[in-house]
Amino acid sequence: MDLYEHQARQLFQDHGIPVPRAEVTRSPKEAREIARRLGGRAVVKAQVKTGGRGKAGGVRLVADPAAAELTARQMLGTAINGHRVRTLMLAEPVDIAEEFYVSYVLDRASGGFLAIACAQGGVDIEEVAAHHPQAVARIPVDRAEGVTSTKAGEIASAAGLPPRTADVLVRLWQVLVAEDALLVEVNPLVRTAQGHVLALDGKVTLDDNARFRQARWGDEDTEQRDPLETEAAARGLHYVKLDGEVGIIGNGAGLVMSTLDVVAGCGARPADFLDIGGGASAEVMADALSVVLADPAVRSVLVNVFGGITACDTVADGILAAVDRVRPTKPLVVRLDGNNAARGRAILDARAHPLVEQAATMDGAARRAAELAHTA
Ligand SMILES: Nc1ncnc2c1ncn2[C@@H]1O[C@H](COP(=O)(O)OP(=O)(O)O)[C@@H](O)[C@H]1O
Ligand SMILES: [Mg+2]
Protein backbone atom coordinates (compact mmCIF):
# COMPACT_ATOMS: atom_id res chain seq x y z
CA MET A 1 0.00 0.00 0.00
CA ASP A 2 1.23 3.47 -0.87
CA LEU A 3 0.88 6.20 1.72
CA TYR A 4 -0.17 9.76 1.03
CA GLU A 5 2.50 12.42 1.18
CA HIS A 6 1.17 13.75 4.47
CA GLN A 7 1.36 10.29 6.03
CA ALA A 8 4.91 9.83 4.77
CA ARG A 9 5.75 13.25 6.16
CA GLN A 10 4.37 12.19 9.55
CA LEU A 11 6.54 9.05 9.54
CA PHE A 12 9.60 11.09 8.61
CA GLN A 13 8.87 13.46 11.46
CA ASP A 14 8.34 10.56 13.90
CA HIS A 15 11.80 9.30 12.99
CA GLY A 16 13.48 12.67 13.37
CA ILE A 17 13.81 13.65 9.71
CA PRO A 18 13.34 17.42 9.38
CA VAL A 19 10.20 18.34 7.43
CA PRO A 20 8.49 21.70 6.84
CA ARG A 21 5.54 22.61 9.07
CA ALA A 22 2.33 21.45 7.44
CA GLU A 23 -1.35 20.71 8.05
CA VAL A 24 -3.97 18.74 6.20
CA THR A 25 -7.52 19.78 5.30
CA ARG A 26 -10.47 19.08 3.06
CA SER A 27 -11.97 22.55 3.33
CA PRO A 28 -11.01 25.80 1.55
CA LYS A 29 -12.01 27.89 4.61
CA GLU A 30 -9.72 25.86 6.80
CA ALA A 31 -6.98 26.15 4.17
CA ARG A 32 -7.13 29.92 4.74
CA GLU A 33 -6.71 29.41 8.51
CA ILE A 34 -3.81 27.01 8.00
CA ALA A 35 -2.03 29.45 5.69
CA ARG A 36 -2.46 32.11 8.39
CA ARG A 37 -0.93 29.78 10.99
CA LEU A 38 1.98 29.03 8.62
CA GLY A 39 2.72 32.73 8.36
CA GLY A 40 0.61 33.73 5.32
CA ARG A 41 2.47 32.20 2.39
CA ALA A 42 1.99 28.48 1.83
CA VAL A 43 2.49 25.67 -0.65
CA VAL A 44 -0.87 24.03 -1.38
CA LYS A 45 -0.36 20.35 -2.24
CA ALA A 46 -2.94 17.91 -3.62
CA GLN A 47 -2.85 14.65 -1.65
CA VAL A 48 -3.07 12.03 -4.38
CA LYS A 49 -1.13 8.81 -4.73
CA THR A 50 0.69 9.70 -7.92
CA GLY A 51 3.94 11.41 -8.71
CA GLY A 52 4.39 14.45 -10.91
CA ARG A 53 1.85 16.53 -9.03
CA GLY A 54 3.97 19.65 -9.45
CA LYS A 55 3.90 19.40 -13.25
CA ALA A 56 0.18 18.61 -13.24
CA GLY A 57 -0.79 21.68 -11.20
CA GLY A 58 -1.12 19.88 -7.90
CA VAL A 59 1.57 21.87 -6.05
CA ARG A 60 1.06 25.64 -5.89
CA LEU A 61 2.72 28.41 -3.96
CA VAL A 62 0.25 30.99 -2.65
CA ALA A 63 1.13 34.43 -1.33
CA ASP A 64 -1.48 34.87 1.42
CA PRO A 65 -4.38 33.17 3.24
CA ALA A 66 -7.03 34.45 0.79
CA ALA A 67 -5.09 32.96 -2.12
CA ALA A 68 -4.77 29.71 -0.15
CA GLU A 69 -8.54 29.51 0.17
CA LEU A 70 -9.09 30.26 -3.52
CA THR A 71 -6.47 27.75 -4.66
CA ALA A 72 -7.88 25.11 -2.32
CA ARG A 73 -11.34 25.71 -3.77
CA GLN A 74 -9.97 25.29 -7.31
CA MET A 75 -7.91 22.21 -6.53
CA LEU A 76 -10.38 20.17 -4.46
CA GLY A 77 -12.50 17.87 -6.61
CA THR A 78 -10.26 18.11 -9.66
CA ALA A 79 -8.25 15.13 -10.88
CA ILE A 80 -4.46 15.05 -10.92
CA ASN A 81 -3.19 12.37 -13.32
CA GLY A 82 -6.58 10.66 -12.98
CA HIS A 83 -6.67 10.79 -9.15
CA ARG A 84 -9.49 12.77 -7.53
CA VAL A 85 -8.26 15.39 -5.06
CA ARG A 86 -10.11 15.03 -1.75
CA THR A 87 -7.46 16.24 0.66
CA LEU A 88 -4.88 19.01 0.61
CA MET A 89 -1.75 19.58 2.59
CA LEU A 90 -0.56 23.12 3.17
CA ALA A 91 3.14 23.34 3.86
CA GLU A 92 5.44 26.13 4.89
CA PRO A 93 7.32 27.42 1.81
CA VAL A 94 11.01 26.67 1.95
CA ASP A 95 13.78 28.70 0.37
CA ILE A 96 15.42 26.00 -1.76
CA ALA A 97 19.12 26.16 -2.64
CA GLU A 98 19.51 22.59 -3.94
CA GLU A 99 17.21 19.63 -4.60
CA PHE A 100 18.36 16.00 -4.17
CA TYR A 101 16.75 12.62 -4.73
CA VAL A 102 17.14 9.78 -2.22
CA SER A 103 15.35 6.47 -1.81
CA TYR A 104 15.65 2.95 -0.48
CA VAL A 105 13.85 0.31 -2.44
CA LEU A 106 13.50 -3.43 -2.40
CA ASP A 107 15.20 -4.49 -5.63
CA ARG A 108 13.61 -7.77 -6.67
CA ALA A 109 16.20 -8.36 -9.41
CA SER A 110 19.07 -8.56 -6.92
CA GLY A 111 16.93 -9.82 -4.06
CA GLY A 112 18.10 -7.04 -1.78
CA PHE A 113 17.69 -3.38 -0.92
CA LEU A 114 19.18 -0.55 -2.94
CA ALA A 115 19.95 3.01 -2.01
CA ILE A 116 19.32 5.29 -4.95
CA ALA A 117 20.56 8.86 -4.73
CA CYS A 118 21.13 11.76 -7.05
CA ALA A 119 22.34 15.31 -6.54
CA GLN A 120 19.96 16.58 -9.22
CA GLY A 121 16.59 15.82 -7.64
CA GLY A 122 13.25 17.50 -8.06
CA VAL A 123 10.51 17.27 -10.63
CA ASP A 124 12.86 16.36 -13.49
CA ILE A 125 14.45 13.32 -11.85
CA GLU A 126 13.05 10.96 -14.52
CA GLU A 127 14.77 12.94 -17.28
CA VAL A 128 18.01 13.06 -15.32
CA ALA A 129 17.87 9.30 -14.79
CA ALA A 130 17.09 8.68 -18.48
CA HIS A 131 19.69 11.02 -19.98
CA HIS A 132 22.41 11.00 -17.32
CA PRO A 133 22.20 7.58 -15.67
CA GLN A 134 25.73 8.06 -14.33
CA ALA A 135 24.39 10.89 -12.14
CA VAL A 136 22.28 8.41 -10.20
CA ALA A 137 24.13 6.35 -7.59
CA ARG A 138 22.75 2.88 -6.92
CA ILE A 139 24.27 1.22 -3.90
CA PRO A 140 23.23 -2.14 -2.43
CA VAL A 141 22.27 -2.06 1.24
CA ASP A 142 22.66 -5.17 3.32
CA ARG A 143 19.38 -5.75 5.16
CA ALA A 144 21.07 -6.99 8.31
CA GLU A 145 23.72 -4.27 8.51
CA GLY A 146 21.38 -1.51 7.43
CA VAL A 147 22.49 2.07 6.87
CA THR A 148 25.04 3.08 9.47
CA SER A 149 26.49 6.57 9.43
CA THR A 150 29.53 5.20 7.58
CA LYS A 151 27.27 3.65 4.95
CA ALA A 152 25.24 6.87 4.74
CA GLY A 153 28.47 8.79 4.12
CA GLU A 154 29.32 6.39 1.29
CA ILE A 155 25.91 6.84 -0.32
CA ALA A 156 26.09 10.63 -0.02
CA SER A 157 29.56 10.84 -1.49
CA ALA A 158 28.77 8.41 -4.34
CA ALA A 159 25.85 10.63 -5.37
CA GLY A 160 27.59 13.93 -4.69
CA LEU A 161 25.25 14.93 -1.87
CA PRO A 162 26.62 17.14 0.90
CA PRO A 163 27.89 15.16 3.94
CA ARG A 164 25.26 16.78 6.15
CA THR A 165 22.54 14.69 4.38
CA ALA A 166 24.00 11.53 5.99
CA ASP A 167 21.90 11.87 9.14
CA VAL A 168 18.70 11.91 7.04
CA LEU A 169 19.94 8.86 5.10
CA VAL A 170 20.39 6.93 8.37
CA ARG A 171 16.97 7.94 9.65
CA LEU A 172 15.28 7.18 6.35
CA TRP A 173 16.54 3.61 6.60
CA GLN A 174 15.07 3.45 10.10
CA VAL A 175 11.72 4.48 8.61
CA LEU A 176 11.93 1.62 6.11
CA VAL A 177 12.72 -0.96 8.78
CA ALA A 178 10.37 0.23 11.52
CA GLU A 179 7.42 0.75 9.20
CA ASP A 180 7.84 -2.43 7.13
CA ALA A 181 8.25 -0.42 3.93
CA LEU A 182 9.30 -1.70 0.51
CA LEU A 183 10.09 1.83 -0.66
CA VAL A 184 10.88 5.10 1.04
CA GLU A 185 11.61 8.00 -1.26
CA VAL A 186 12.33 11.66 -0.67
CA ASN A 187 12.20 13.88 -3.73
CA PRO A 188 13.17 16.52 -3.22
CA LEU A 189 15.41 16.38 -0.20
CA VAL A 190 16.58 19.97 -0.13
CA ARG A 191 19.34 22.12 1.19
CA THR A 192 17.76 25.43 2.10
CA ALA A 193 19.34 28.80 1.60
CA GLN A 194 19.88 28.79 5.39
CA GLY A 195 21.82 25.53 5.11
CA HIS A 196 19.21 23.18 6.60
CA VAL A 197 18.40 19.79 5.12
CA LEU A 198 14.64 19.14 4.77
CA ALA A 199 12.43 16.46 3.22
CA LEU A 200 9.89 18.34 1.07
CA ASP A 201 8.07 15.38 -0.46
CA GLY A 202 7.78 11.73 0.52
CA LYS A 203 6.61 8.49 -0.90
CA VAL A 204 6.33 5.37 1.24
CA THR A 205 5.11 1.98 0.07
CA LEU A 206 4.29 -0.40 2.91
CA ASP A 207 4.60 -4.16 2.63
CA ASP A 208 0.99 -5.42 2.62
CA ASN A 209 2.17 -8.69 4.13
CA ALA A 210 3.07 -6.75 7.26
CA ARG A 211 -0.29 -5.04 7.54
CA PHE A 212 -1.19 -6.97 10.67
CA ARG A 213 1.56 -5.18 12.57
CA GLN A 214 1.01 -1.78 10.97
CA ALA A 215 -2.65 -1.64 11.93
CA ARG A 216 -2.76 2.13 12.29
CA TRP A 217 -3.15 2.58 8.55
CA GLY A 218 -6.34 0.49 8.48
CA ASP A 219 -8.11 -0.07 5.20
CA GLU A 220 -8.41 3.55 4.18
CA ASP A 221 -6.66 2.70 0.94
CA THR A 222 -9.85 1.29 -0.55
CA GLU A 223 -10.96 4.66 -1.92
CA GLN A 224 -8.01 4.55 -4.33
CA ARG A 225 -8.29 0.87 -5.14
CA ASP A 226 -9.90 -0.66 -8.20
CA PRO A 227 -13.59 -1.26 -7.33
CA LEU A 228 -13.45 -4.86 -8.60
CA GLU A 229 -10.42 -5.57 -6.43
CA THR A 230 -12.24 -4.12 -3.45
CA GLU A 231 -15.25 -6.32 -4.12
CA ALA A 232 -13.09 -9.40 -4.62
CA ALA A 233 -11.21 -8.72 -1.38
CA ALA A 234 -14.53 -8.42 0.45
CA ARG A 235 -15.41 -11.90 -0.84
CA GLY A 236 -12.05 -13.25 0.27
CA LEU A 237 -10.70 -13.77 -3.27
CA HIS A 238 -7.13 -13.12 -4.41
CA TYR A 239 -7.90 -10.99 -7.47
CA VAL A 240 -5.71 -8.54 -9.31
CA LYS A 241 -7.19 -6.55 -12.18
CA LEU A 242 -5.09 -6.51 -15.34
CA ASP A 243 -5.57 -4.80 -18.70
CA GLY A 244 -6.50 -7.63 -21.03
CA GLU A 245 -9.59 -9.37 -22.37
CA VAL A 246 -9.28 -13.02 -21.22
CA GLY A 247 -10.66 -13.49 -17.71
CA ILE A 248 -8.62 -16.01 -15.72
CA ILE A 249 -9.75 -18.18 -12.82
CA GLY A 250 -7.53 -20.90 -11.42
CA ASN A 251 -6.59 -22.65 -8.21
CA GLY A 252 -3.18 -22.03 -6.72
CA ALA A 253 -1.07 -18.94 -7.36
CA GLY A 254 1.53 -20.88 -9.37
CA LEU A 255 -1.02 -22.39 -11.71
CA VAL A 256 -2.74 -19.02 -12.19
CA MET A 257 0.59 -17.32 -12.93
CA SER A 258 1.47 -19.90 -15.56
CA THR A 259 -2.02 -19.61 -17.02
CA LEU A 260 -1.43 -15.88 -17.50
CA ASP A 261 1.83 -16.69 -19.30
CA VAL A 262 0.24 -19.28 -21.56
CA VAL A 263 -2.62 -16.94 -22.49
CA ALA A 264 -0.10 -14.19 -23.26
CA GLY A 265 1.84 -16.74 -25.32
CA CYS A 266 -1.31 -17.27 -27.42
CA GLY A 267 -1.35 -13.60 -28.35
CA ALA A 268 -4.11 -12.54 -25.95
CA ARG A 269 -3.90 -10.48 -22.79
CA PRO A 270 -5.09 -11.73 -19.40
CA ALA A 271 -7.80 -9.54 -17.83
CA ASP A 272 -6.97 -10.55 -14.28
CA PHE A 273 -5.21 -12.84 -11.86
CA LEU A 274 -7.73 -14.75 -9.75
CA ASP A 275 -6.70 -17.55 -7.45
CA ILE A 276 -9.67 -19.32 -5.87
CA GLY A 277 -7.32 -21.34 -3.67
CA GLY A 278 -7.96 -24.83 -2.42
CA GLY A 279 -11.71 -24.80 -1.77
CA ALA A 280 -13.37 -24.43 -5.15
CA SER A 281 -16.92 -24.68 -3.83
CA ALA A 282 -19.89 -23.55 -5.92
CA GLU A 283 -20.08 -20.40 -3.87
CA VAL A 284 -16.41 -19.51 -4.32
CA MET A 285 -16.64 -20.26 -8.05
CA ALA A 286 -19.77 -18.11 -8.40
CA ASP A 287 -18.11 -15.24 -6.55
CA ALA A 288 -15.05 -15.60 -8.78
CA LEU A 289 -17.09 -15.66 -11.97
CA SER A 290 -19.18 -12.69 -11.01
CA VAL A 291 -16.09 -10.61 -10.21
CA VAL A 292 -14.34 -11.58 -13.46
CA LEU A 293 -17.46 -11.02 -15.59
CA ALA A 294 -18.14 -7.65 -14.00
CA ASP A 295 -15.05 -6.38 -15.85
CA PRO A 296 -16.47 -4.96 -19.10
CA ALA A 297 -13.17 -5.62 -20.90
CA VAL A 298 -13.52 -9.39 -20.45
CA ARG A 299 -14.51 -11.20 -23.66
CA SER A 300 -13.91 -14.82 -22.66
CA VAL A 301 -13.09 -16.63 -19.42
CA LEU A 302 -10.59 -19.40 -18.89
CA VAL A 303 -11.16 -21.62 -15.85
CA ASN A 304 -8.05 -23.69 -15.21
CA VAL A 305 -8.32 -26.07 -12.27
CA PHE A 306 -6.04 -28.83 -11.15
CA GLY A 307 -8.02 -31.00 -8.76
CA GLY A 308 -6.20 -31.80 -5.55
CA ILE A 309 -7.89 -31.85 -2.19
CA THR A 310 -10.89 -30.37 -3.96
CA ALA A 311 -11.76 -32.92 -6.64
CA CYS A 312 -12.73 -31.91 -10.19
CA ASP A 313 -16.29 -33.23 -9.89
CA THR A 314 -16.90 -30.81 -7.02
CA VAL A 315 -15.37 -28.05 -9.12
CA ALA A 316 -17.59 -28.98 -12.09
CA ASP A 317 -20.66 -28.82 -9.85
CA GLY A 318 -19.40 -25.47 -8.63
CA ILE A 319 -18.98 -24.15 -12.17
CA LEU A 320 -22.51 -25.18 -13.16
CA ALA A 321 -24.04 -23.73 -10.00
CA ALA A 322 -22.05 -20.56 -10.59
CA VAL A 323 -23.21 -20.33 -14.20
CA ASP A 324 -26.82 -20.70 -13.04
CA ARG A 325 -26.34 -17.98 -10.47
CA VAL A 326 -24.27 -15.52 -12.49
CA ARG A 327 -25.80 -16.18 -15.96
CA PRO A 328 -22.75 -15.24 -18.03
CA THR A 329 -23.12 -13.75 -21.48
CA LYS A 330 -19.50 -14.47 -22.43
CA PRO A 331 -18.01 -17.88 -23.27
CA LEU A 332 -16.15 -19.99 -20.71
CA VAL A 333 -13.39 -22.44 -21.50
CA VAL A 334 -12.81 -24.98 -18.75
CA ARG A 335 -9.79 -27.19 -18.31
CA LEU A 336 -10.04 -29.76 -15.56
CA ASP A 337 -7.21 -32.06 -14.62
CA GLY A 338 -6.05 -33.97 -11.56
CA ASN A 339 -8.20 -35.63 -8.93
CA ASN A 340 -11.48 -36.95 -10.45
CA ALA A 341 -10.94 -35.08 -13.72
CA ALA A 342 -12.89 -37.62 -15.76
CA ARG A 343 -15.91 -37.32 -13.51
CA GLY A 344 -15.70 -33.54 -13.58
CA ARG A 345 -15.56 -33.47 -17.37
CA ALA A 346 -18.51 -35.85 -17.59
CA ILE A 347 -20.59 -33.55 -15.39
CA LEU A 348 -19.91 -30.59 -17.69
CA ASP A 349 -20.51 -32.69 -20.83
CA ALA A 350 -23.84 -33.91 -19.48
CA ARG A 351 -25.04 -30.39 -18.89
CA ALA A 352 -23.89 -29.17 -22.35
CA HIS A 353 -24.25 -25.50 -21.45
CA PRO A 354 -24.03 -23.45 -24.68
CA LEU A 355 -21.46 -21.03 -23.23
CA VAL A 356 -19.28 -23.61 -21.48
CA GLU A 357 -16.77 -25.62 -23.45
CA GLN A 358 -13.93 -27.84 -22.33
CA ALA A 359 -10.35 -28.28 -23.39
CA ALA A 360 -8.16 -31.21 -22.51
CA THR A 361 -4.93 -29.31 -21.99
CA MET A 362 -3.87 -25.99 -20.57
CA ASP A 363 -2.33 -24.91 -23.89
CA GLY A 364 -5.46 -25.91 -25.78
CA ALA A 365 -7.67 -24.09 -23.29
CA ALA A 366 -5.58 -20.94 -23.52
CA ARG A 367 -5.59 -21.03 -27.33
CA ARG A 368 -9.35 -21.44 -27.39
CA ALA A 369 -9.99 -18.70 -24.82
CA ALA A 370 -7.73 -16.34 -26.79
CA GLU A 371 -9.56 -17.21 -30.02
CA LEU A 372 -12.96 -16.63 -28.41
CA ALA A 373 -11.79 -13.30 -27.01
CA HIS A 374 -10.84 -12.17 -30.47
CA THR A 375 -14.00 -13.35 -32.20
CA ALA A 376 -16.64 -12.98 -29.49
N1 LIG B 1 7.29 23.33 1.04
C1 LIG B 1 7.82 23.67 -0.14
N2 LIG B 1 8.49 24.83 -0.29
C2 LIG B 1 9.02 25.19 -1.48
N3 LIG B 1 8.94 24.46 -2.59
C3 LIG B 1 8.29 23.30 -2.53
C4 LIG B 1 7.69 22.82 -1.31
N4 LIG B 1 7.12 21.63 -1.56
C5 LIG B 1 7.36 21.37 -2.86
N5 LIG B 1 8.05 22.34 -3.45
C6 LIG B 1 8.53 22.41 -4.85
O1 LIG B 1 7.59 21.78 -5.70
C7 LIG B 1 8.20 20.70 -6.39
C8 LIG B 1 7.19 19.58 -6.53
O2 LIG B 1 6.68 19.23 -5.27
P1 LIG B 1 6.61 17.75 -4.76
O3 LIG B 1 6.09 17.78 -3.39
O4 LIG B 1 7.93 17.08 -4.95
O5 LIG B 1 5.51 17.10 -5.71
P2 LIG B 1 5.63 16.05 -6.95
O6 LIG B 1 6.88 15.27 -6.76
O7 LIG B 1 4.41 15.23 -6.88
O8 LIG B 1 5.66 16.91 -8.19
C9 LIG B 1 9.40 20.31 -5.54
O9 LIG B 1 10.42 19.71 -6.33
C10 LIG B 1 9.83 21.63 -4.99
O10 LIG B 1 10.64 22.32 -5.93
MG1 LIG C 1 8.30 15.07 -5.43
Side-chain angles (χ1 to χ4, degrees), residues 66 108 113 121 129 142 147 217 221 234 325 348 373:
R108 295 188 192 274
F113 283 89
D142 183 280
V147 178
W217 304 114
D221 196 37
R325 203 183 98 190
L348 293 182

Side-chain angles (χ1 to χ4, degrees), residues 26-276:
R26 296 184 165 212
S27 122
K29 282 243 164 347
E30 207 183 359
R32 178 193 282 256
E33 291 312 310
I34 295 172
R36 203 189 309 283
R37 284 197 284 275
L38 293 174
R41 293 168 69 240
V43 180
V44 182
K45 309 183 79 173
Q47 296 301 288
V48 282
K49 294 181 180 179
T50 171
R53 293 168 304 160
K55 289 191 171 172
V59 176
R60 281 163 56 191
L61 177 68
V62 295
D64 54 56
E69 178 174 342
L70 184 67
T71 300
R73 212 176 284 290
Q74 289 166 349
M75 225 185 256
L76 283 165
T78 59
I80 302 282
N81 301 335
H83 294 249
R84 184 79 41 211
V85 181
R86 296 187 176 88
T87 309
L88 301 173
M89 184 173 92
L90 280 83
E92 189 176 15
V94 166
D95 201 353
I96 300 172
E98 274 186 290
E99 295 191 309
F100 315 120
Y101 174 96
V102 297
S103 68
Y104 297 116
V105 61
L106 175 64
D107 175 36
R108 295 188 192 274
S110 67
F113 283 89
L114 269 187
I116 303 177
C118 178
Q120 296 154 262
V123 297
D124 290 322
I125 185 67
E126 278 85 8
E127 282 91 285
V128 174
H131 300 297
H132 308 282
Q134 73 288 351
V136 181
R138 302 164 67 89
I139 297 177
V141 177
D142 183 280
R143 182 70 165 78
E145 283 167 22
V147 178
T148 57
S149 45
T150 314
K151 182 81 183 180
E154 269 170 45
I155 297 167
S157 92
L161 308 186
R164 76 183 70 161
T165 57
D167 182 56
V168 168
L169 287 168
V170 169
R171 291 173 189 274
L172 191 62
W173 179 260
Q174 290 162 358
V175 173
L176 178 122
V177 173
E179 309 296 333
D180 288 314
L182 299 173
L183 166 79
V184 289
E185 180 190 86
V186 183
N187 184 37
L189 177 71
V190 302
R191 181 173 66 77
T192 68
Q194 297 75 32
H196 302 298
V197 173
L198 278 178
L200 287 203
D201 183 18
K203 178 172 177 190
V204 172
T205 304
L206 302 178
D207 183 349
D208 287 338
N209 294 312
R211 241 180 210 210
F212 68 98
R213 44 180 203 198
Q214 302 292 348
R216 71 167 140 161
W217 304 114
D219 271 335
E220 63 176 84
D221 196 37
T222 48
E223 70 180 34
Q224 296 274 338
R225 198 160 157 186
D226 183 276
L228 283 175
E229 291 186 358
T230 306
E231 191 192 325
R235 296 175 188 230
L237 297 170
H238 300 284
Y239 171 86
V240 181
K241 167 102 177 67
L242 302 171
D243 292 332
E245 57 286 338
V246 178
I248 311 272
I249 299 172
N251 65 333
L255 181 65
V256 179
M257 292 292 274
S258 23
T259 309
L260 302 188
D261 285 345
V262 175
V263 165
C266 293
R269 292 179 312 157
D272 65 86
F273 168 102
L274 202 172
D275 173 14
I276 54 174

Side-chain angles (χ1 to χ4, degrees), residues 287-303:
D287 281 348
L289 260 187
S290 57
V291 167
V292 169
L293 290 168
D295 174 358
V298 165
R299 296 169 67 89
S300 68
V301 179
L302 169 50
V303 180

